[in-house]
Amino acid sequence: MSEIQTIPVQVGKGYEVRVGHGLLDTVGKAVKESFPDSRTVIVTDSNVAPLYLERVLDSLRLAGIDAGSCVFAAGETHKNMETLTGILNEAALFRLNRKDLLIALGGGVCGDMTGFAAGCYMRGIPFIQIPTTVLSMVDSSVGGKCAVDLPAGKNLAGVFHQPSLVLCDIDTLDTLPSEFFADGMAEAVKTAVLTGGRLAELCLTPDRDNVRSIITECIRYKAGVVQRDERELGERKLLNLGHTAGHAIEKCSGFQVPHGHAVAVGTAMIARAADLKGLSDGSVSETVEKMLLAWDLPLHTSFSADDLLEASKSDKKAGGAGITAVIPRSVGHCELMDLTFDELYELFRIGL
Ligand code: GLY
């Protein structure tokens, strides 16, 4: 399976997600085709820069594109306004103008911040996503949600800004440390609980040869959801499965627990709670736990229901009186449910 798969996302002007091997070397050609006469700044982090920055710069130079770079310190703790300001400043120092673009080369943190910077630099310029982690390939690089964390909570400042192209080079996963690999598989398992079917079967088998298919299935599903509900007014909220407890765990840990590991625990918690409360077919948690264990992901947290509830109150999905949770009725069928904070506390308590 060495050909490139192309998944269209019909939102706004529409864009393609390409999945395949060796795509890093196609960046220059892709930019030249879509943005002739443009200049660009590649935004990447201190982990990814030594691995892939020169290669992507070479590809751009070969295509005759003037490109600069901006490297920020890796990690969720740097996904903040200060780093965002640094990216905007680099764009300005490189004299990017409205017909130019940014390129995000890295994981979810890089993609989120680059997209946010592109969405507000000169009131909006295009950007390209080149995700280099499982997490950013299966979820965050597609759909245009771009944000930074504030001291008050995760992803509290941001914009919807769709990329112009997403290039998922599967080869970049070869250098991904195993804990980052597992981290992304949590979002794939989350998607499998939403879709059931082939993706759920693939996620039950911890075989790295399945990963390209898992990524492609997740992107196809997400592209459909984003096309139907770009602004998360309804169906897109389903993608937050496991994220209510997940975001709370991240916040309680001072963002030391990585996003995917927190989402894994959040998904396991809501599956156990749904089974125990009679909200599901009674067997969701068994399958969810099997999928998570297959990819070395955690099922439990040591934070209390009180800690998690307090953190959830500042979740951007929370209203004054409660929060919309995603309840897995069965693997392949999830529903939104409006909960009061008392009801949420009860689900946290029994799901722990
Ligand atoms: N990561 C969830 C979404 O894009 O809606």
Side-chain angles (χ1 to χ4, degrees), residues 139-140 142-145 187 190 222 226 232 236-237 239-240 243 259:
D139 186 50
S140 60
V142 178
K145 272 193 189 175
E187 290 283 2
K190 172 207 82 177
K222 183 157 183 187
V226 169
E232 199 177 314
R236 188 166 179 175
K237 292 183 187 170
L239 299 177
N240 294 324
H243 282 60
H259 179 69

Side-chain angles (χ1 to χ4, degrees), residues 81-99:
M81 293 303 276
E82 195 185 337
T83 313
L84 179 76
T85 305
I87 297 169
L88 291 169
N89 219 30
E90 283 297 327
L93 288 172
F94 201 68
R95 300 193 186 287
L96 291 190
N97 65 36
R98 279 218 178 119
K99 67 174 177 40

